[in-house]
Amino acid sequence: MSKLLNIDAAIIVFFMLIFIPPVASGFVLSKYVSGRIVEEKTNKLYGIANTLDKLLTSDYDTILEKYNMQNASKEDKIKVLSKELSPVSDTVVSGFKDTGIGYYSKELDAIITYSPSEKMNWTIGMPISKNHNGREAMATKQWISYRGGELVWGNGIAVFFPIIRNNESIGYIWAVELDENINKELFPMYVNIAIAVSILIGIGIAVFSILLFKYNDKKYIRSLNDYIKCISSDNSIRLPQMQGIYGEINNTINLLSNQFIEQKEIETRMLKAENMLVGSFITLSIAHEIKNPLMSIKGFSDLIKESSSDNSIIKYTKIISDETERINKLIGNLLSVSKKNDVINEKHCINNLINESVSLLLPNFRRHNVSYTIKSSQDYYIICDSNRFKQIILNMLLNSLSAFDGRDNNKIEITLSDTAESGMLSVSIKDNGCGIPDYIMQDIFQPFWTTKSNSTGLGLFIVKSFIDSMGWQLHVSSLKDLWTCFTITMPYIKEY
């Protein structure tokens, strides 16, 4: 009887060791995943609010002056501002499901826009409470985030972004996303965690069953032990096919592992699709506003050139005209991230394209005290769109310049090398800047992800999009505080 009790106690202890650690780990992991999702949503909402701030190119008073409404009543001012700004916020919010955004005026103490307008137009003109988070954002001149249920839009996450003009807060912008939308994204995460916990429990039960009924088969136990050690670092490993009960156990564990991997792949594709959608809508929103002044600049420069007989003026106005046309084409390339435009792929000397790109940044190199070298044993020719390729090089060089902040002895080295056997050409851009920490390396190509306060976070995203569209390869290596190297690998045309 005593031995039976000892066995029963051992079984109970063993089952506790199987179930408690995976369940506890799953709980902790679910909390961590939830926190990360909330953080990512907060960053997305910040990006939307920051975009609205940039689209408000002047201030509320300037809009009122435009319509001669400086001395109008409060209600009339609100109507004019709402009519001017509602299309802007409606355009931006149209790409984000279950999201609400808008402008608030501190002077008028009133909501100016709340998009989508067809759903939230009734809030226009309403004031905010004295303890509203927007007042804190305006007072501190710092953006803040909030998650709770006391929001007009509903339960969710909100970002309050102060509108600063002439170092004064004139209002704030908010962006809100409903918990319902967030929970939809958390659900597959929780499913993944549940599957992972099930895998661990299944493995534990399998081990227990083997120890209980087949403890003499040491070879099988060692194979399970090796699998448990390796599965966390390499999810491609599978248990071997076997006969009998061992084979059934292996097949069950392998099936659970496959389901877990498939869920992770679906999650990755969904996240990438969402980021591409964000990039598309923001790009389309700002491109039109940039094109109009560019055409004015080009038109006036051409007019000056035609009306002047001074050779130096003709020379400089031609440069202005050529560069504005190039910028206009680059905007078209930016739009190609959002929609498929015509791309002109022709044969080009890559050495010339790199030299042209570098020459455009020479003033920046001098300002940052940067020396550069271009190493190439010959001229190489590739098939590409010249404007896209120069945009890739410019963005990578600008990324290197941003890594030199406050440093001395700054160097950039551009190296062209080929592998004749494979017909592939490598273009490397290496700098001795601050480097990229390992823990953010996987995020640097995500849209709107940046560590710089004055950056849009689109530069490297565009670089990666263009390179992927050409079927080329991009590799990044870095050592913190020492160097960073971007390497593009592409086919080239062999000249005989």
Side-chain angles (χ1 to χ4, degrees), residues 37 41 177 181-189 274:
I37 289 291
K41 291 296 181 183
E177 182 164 352
N181 194 36
I182 298 169
N183 292 334
K184 288 179 182 178
E185 295 190 24
L186 283 174
F187 179 76
M189 303 284 189
E274 180 183 358

Side-chain angles (χ1 to χ4, degrees), residues 6 23 29 33 80 140 169 210 281 307 317 395 407 443 463 491:
N6 289 337
V23 172
L29 185 58
V33 169
V80 169
T140 60
S169 295
I210 293 167
F281 278 102
S307 62
T317 52
N395 278 335
R407 289 172 171 258
D443 298 320
V463 167

Side-chain angles (χ1 to χ4, degrees), residues 166-228:
N166 297 322
N167 202 31
E168 292 293 333
S169 295
I170 66 169
Y172 71 89
I173 296 166
W174 69 91
V176 183
E177 182 164 352
L178 292 179
D179 276 338
E180 178 184 350
N181 194 36
I182 298 169
N183 292 334
K184 288 179 182 178
E185 295 190 24
L186 283 174
F187 179 76
M189 303 284 189
Y190 291 147
V191 171
N192 289 340
I193 294 172
I195 292 174
V197 171
S198 300
I199 291 173
L200 293 176
I201 292 175
I203 292 172
I205 293 174
V207 173
F208 174 76
S209 300
I210 293 167
L211 290 175
L212 189 62
F213 301 107
K214 301 289 182 178
Y215 59 90
N216 58 337
D217 194 339
K218 296 181 180 180
K219 181 178 179 180
Y220 183 74
I221 294 175
R222 283 197 300 269
S223 69
L224 272 181
N225 186 50
D226 293 339
Y227 177 78
I228 294 170

